[in-house]
Amino acid sequence: MNTLNVKKAAVLGAGVMGAQIAAHLANAGVPVLLYDLPAKEGDPNGIVNKALAGLKKLDPAPLSSKDKLAYIDAANYDQHLPLLADCDLIIEAIAERMDWKHDLYARIAPYLSPTAIVASNTSGLSMQALGAGLPAQVQPRFCGIHFFNPPRYMHLVEIIATPSTDATTLDQLETWLTSRLGKGVIRALDTPNFVANRIGVFSILAVMHHTAAFKLGFDTVDALTGPRIGRPKSATYRTADVVGLDTLAHVVNTMRNTLPDDPWHAHFNTPTWLTALIEQGALGQKTRCGIFRKQGKEIQVLDLATQNYRSSAGEVAEEVAAILKIRNPAEKFAALRASSHPQAQFLWAIFRDVFHYCAVQLEHVADNARDLDFAMRWGFGWAQGPFETWQAAGWADIAQAIAADIAAGKSMTNTPLPAWVLENGRQGVHGSAGSYSARRNTYAARSTLPVYQRQLFPERVLGEAGLRPEHAGETLYENDGVRLWRLPEQDAGIGILSIKSKMHTIGDEVLDGVIAAVRQAETTLAGVVVWHEAPFAVGANLAQVTQAIAAGQFDRLEQTVEKFQRASQTLKYAQVPVVAAVQGMALGGGCEFVMHAAKRVMALESYVGLVEAGVGLIPAGGGCKEFAVRAAAWAAQSAVPGEVFNYLQPVFQTIAMAKVAKSAQEAIDYGFARPSDTVLFNAHELLWVAIREARNLADAGWAPPPMARNIPVAGRTGIATFEMMLVNMREGGMISAHDYQVAKAAAIALCGGDIESGSRVDEEWLLTVERRLFVDLLKNPLTQARIQHMLDTGKPLRN
């Protein structure tokens, strides 16, 4: 199979989705032409330029780094269609009108490259009907490519073939989307709303139906249908507001108009209250008013009884809350069914009807149950797909309960469960042989495309075969904090160092383990990869710190900080290359470990920062030292070697303000990583790539850098300059008195201590300075209050 190489792409339509799809292509370094209609007045590219300006304001940010905007060029259909000839991938993302799309296809057809892939980002229109609007020679290279909003962050992309789509085109596109854009690809059937929206919107309709049936408030329903049942915080009605009530209504209307034979068709209607909100222009988040609205600091919710808004409370009954805390899924579902409380009956009803719908529709919407479950995980943020949830709760018992409710007229339709659901001995739909395909009455194995060999520990559904990382490979060293292991089938000479603590916090046992594991690796291995599933590490173990403070063990704390520094230095000066494979949060001490590695392989969605100021501290695991060393190195390459202060200014702001990079590319901009580091878009490929990076370094004769000595520092002059900035901020009320003390300590550490400017020091001097400042701050009651508040609430305290 030839590899798809997208040297240039085009996105047709600069609306919300089109602009953000272009942004994510730009994130991946793909030059993009973003098209729209010519503006009626002024700059013909005015519509697109307005959309590009809007990308800078969106939160969460669609661009992984501000400079990625340079990859996108504005274009319009009147002037720039000939430029399509240079594009390898064209993604159409205009409004959901078949006639408009066909008109656009007719316009672009003469300019398409004979090898370009053309794809529509439709959310539910028939791909076969859409493809009919293209010339016959283009149709084999046409398919659906359905991104979910926001495209940068939502893992799911559905690709949908037409009867004419070439199989190789689909394989190439799936490979490219998986590795280059980091997506989880599902091959959906060409049915209305495809997989995720079909099931997800039905789930919302079921919730709306049972909200009315059980007379519950929208806020109560959201309290029930969020994280308590493994769904996102936005739950149901807040999700509708975020998506847009008009958009939701459009998708429901699509289901009503295109699925006349669906047994649940009678429920494919927008409730009267939803139609009324749309008519009033209350469309949700984009109009700042929908089912919920914010009045001042108060969140209010629509109350149907009064036809007005009231304060949102969202209280879950104690009895129901207790049921939802039951760990055993079978016991939990049995308790929900047995309870007479309306909230419990509501929850059982929404699960029952979604299970029922998925079972009946599986053969019509997806190739197999794994695809359906992943679609709901990746597209709607469910912790488990519906079939996984059903299987975990006991397949046969749930199936019998559903059948009984159907017979009793309690379900949303009287359509019986498919025969395969009730087969004797069936324990579920996922197992060692694969996942059940109702269409083919067999178990479907995973895709064999070569790209998936890069995923050593792919995301799995419940019941699927495969070892978890903590049980895989050959253990070489282990203590309570870390495990050093290897995968001989990948590379027996590369060790994998994994932190085992909760959230991968860094305490004494982790520090001891890191030092011991690297020392062992130096004698038996060619390299080490620091890897475990996200988060990478959220910093020091604050619980251990608090216990030591309470016992007045500041000498012990200083020893621990010294050990932390020694662990960081061990990573930096190991006799074998250490590669940090980073995904998720790498904060505080986790960031310092990342900074000291020989190289970093980072997932795009890595959130990296020295956040110690948030708990009244400064980086002391070598973070301040490392930036001081780097500032000296940067200055040495400038016109005035030794003048380090200018290189410390942005670093100081980053540390003092506890800035966190919102992507791996931003981490490079902040200096936490280096331009030569590797950024991957698919986090599941991290370990595979990192092992090879470590091997490449070893085979190239890697040697640790020399210990930094003779380092020029900014000293007293630099500290005084920083202090003037801080005084102005304190006097202006921008920072508190304690913020001032913490930031001043960071300034002293970065400037090499209270010594003459231009003095030359070594790394050990810098480590000593930051360590002593850190311990002094630990003794401050205001810092102690910040640490305790963080432990209690998970949020920083401003005092």
Side-chain angles (χ1 to χ4, degrees), residues 718-753:
I719 296 169
T721 306
F722 283 134
E723 197 165 8
M724 283 190 294
M725 295 167 47
L726 294 172
V727 167
N728 290 334
M729 293 176 72
R730 184 185 61 190
E731 297 304 318
M734 299 170 64
I735 60 174
S736 69
H738 192 49
D739 290 331
Y740 174 89
Q741 293 298 329
V742 174
K744 181 179 177 181
I748 295 170
L750 288 169
C751 292

Side-chain angles (χ1 to χ4, degrees), residues 210-539:
H210 291 298
T211 298
F214 290 98
K215 298 180 172 58
L216 300 178
F218 297 140
D219 51 341
T220 298
V221 169
D222 270 12
L224 290 166
T225 60
R228 282 185 170 92
I229 62 169
R231 308 280 170 83
K233 289 181 180 179
S234 56
T236 302
Y237 291 106
R238 286 184 189 274
T239 295
D241 272 350
V242 170
V243 169
L245 301 185
D246 54 338
T247 302
L248 174 62
H250 172 78
V251 177
V252 173
N253 289 338
T254 298
M255 293 176 70
R256 183 175 67 250
N257 295 334
T258 58
L259 295 167
D261 298 327
D262 190 302
W264 283 263
H265 185 267
H267 298 284
F268 296 167
N269 293 295
T270 53
T272 303
W273 58 264
L274 180 58
T275 302
L277 285 175
I278 294 170
E279 290 175 349
Q280 295 164 20
L283 306 180
Q285 183 171 282
K286 58 190 172 186
T287 60
R288 300 184 179 181
C289 183
I291 300 168
F292 292 89
R293 72 179 185 184
K294 191 172 184 180
Q295 293 290 97
K297 294 185 178 181
E298 183 184 49
I299 302 297
Q300 297 183 338
V301 62
L302 180 65
D303 188 323
L304 294 184
T306 65
Q307 292 295 302
N308 207 339
Y309 288 87
R310 59 169 172 79
S311 180
S312 176
E315 296 180 356
V316 175
E318 290 185 11
E319 171 189 334
V320 178
I323 292 173
L324 294 176
K325 290 178 181 177
I326 298 173
R327 291 184 175 276
N328 183 292
E331 294 177 10
K332 181 187 300 183
F333 273 86
L336 287 175
R337 296 199 305 273
S339 174
S340 60
H341 197 286
Q343 292 182 9
Q345 287 298 299
F346 163 82
L347 286 171
W348 161 244
I350 64 170
F351 276 110
R352 175 199 65 213
D353 289 321
V354 168
F355 293 161
H356 187 189
Y357 191 78
C358 289
V360 171
Q361 299 295 354
L362 176 60
E363 65 178 302
H364 305 296
V365 302
D367 176 72
N368 59 74
R370 179 180 53 251
D371 285 353
L372 190 150
D373 277 348
F374 275 151
M376 295 313 298
R377 280 205 217 169
W378 299 341
F380 277 76
W382 292 13
Q384 285 187 321
F387 285 125
E388 291 179 282
T389 304
W390 183 349
Q391 185 166 324
W395 184 272
D397 287 345
I398 295 293
Q400 291 298 329
I402 296 171
D405 277 5
I406 294 171
K410 295 181 179 179
S411 57
M412 291 171 69
T413 179
N414 61 5
T415 298
L417 287 168
W420 63 263
V421 172
L422 300 166
E423 287 174 349
N424 287 333
R426 178 173 288 281
Q427 299 299 310
V429 291
H430 304 303
S432 57
S435 294
Y436 184 69
S437 171
R439 299 174 66 227
R440 295 181 279 141
N441 190 28
T442 187
Y443 279 80
R446 282 190 171 244
S447 169
T448 58
L449 283 177
V451 69
Y452 294 114
Q453 295 174 15
R454 296 164 61 94
Q455 300 184 15
L456 303 184
F457 296 97
E459 188 173 346
R460 299 189 183 279
V461 289
L462 180 82
E464 188 178 6
L467 285 176
R468 297 278 303 153
E470 56 266 29
H471 303 301
E474 175 189 351
T475 299
L476 305 175
Y477 165 84
E478 190 168 17
N479 73 349
D480 290 340
V482 308
R483 177 185 179 225
L484 178 67
W485 53 293
R486 63 182 170 189
L487 291 168
E489 65 274 19
Q490 292 296 319
D491 191 326
I494 303 299
I496 304 163
L497 179 57
S498 300
I499 298 175
K500 303 189 318 184
S501 57
K502 184 178 180 181
M503 295 294 288
H504 306 128
T505 54
I506 303 170
D508 278 321
E509 67 286 353
V510 172
L511 297 172
D512 291 334
V514 167
I515 294 168
V518 172
R519 293 295 174 239
Q520 178 170 329
E522 288 175 326
T523 63
T524 60
L525 296 170
V528 174
V529 171
V530 183
W531 175 86
H532 34 257
E533 294 179 319
F536 182 81
V538 297

Side-chain angles (χ1 to χ4, degrees), residues 151-194:
R152 171 184 163 186
Y153 300 95
M154 296 303 291
H155 191 53
L156 178 63
V157 168
E158 296 171 319
I159 56 175
I160 309 97
T162 75
S164 302
T165 308
D166 177 67
T168 301
T169 295
L170 290 177
D171 288 348
Q172 290 178 334
L173 187 59
E174 179 173 350
T175 297
W176 188 82
L177 288 167
T178 299
S179 196
R180 187 69 182 271
L181 293 193
K183 296 304 177 184
V185 177
I186 297 296
R187 296 201 184 188
L189 303 182
D190 190 9
T191 57
N193 292 347
F194 312 129

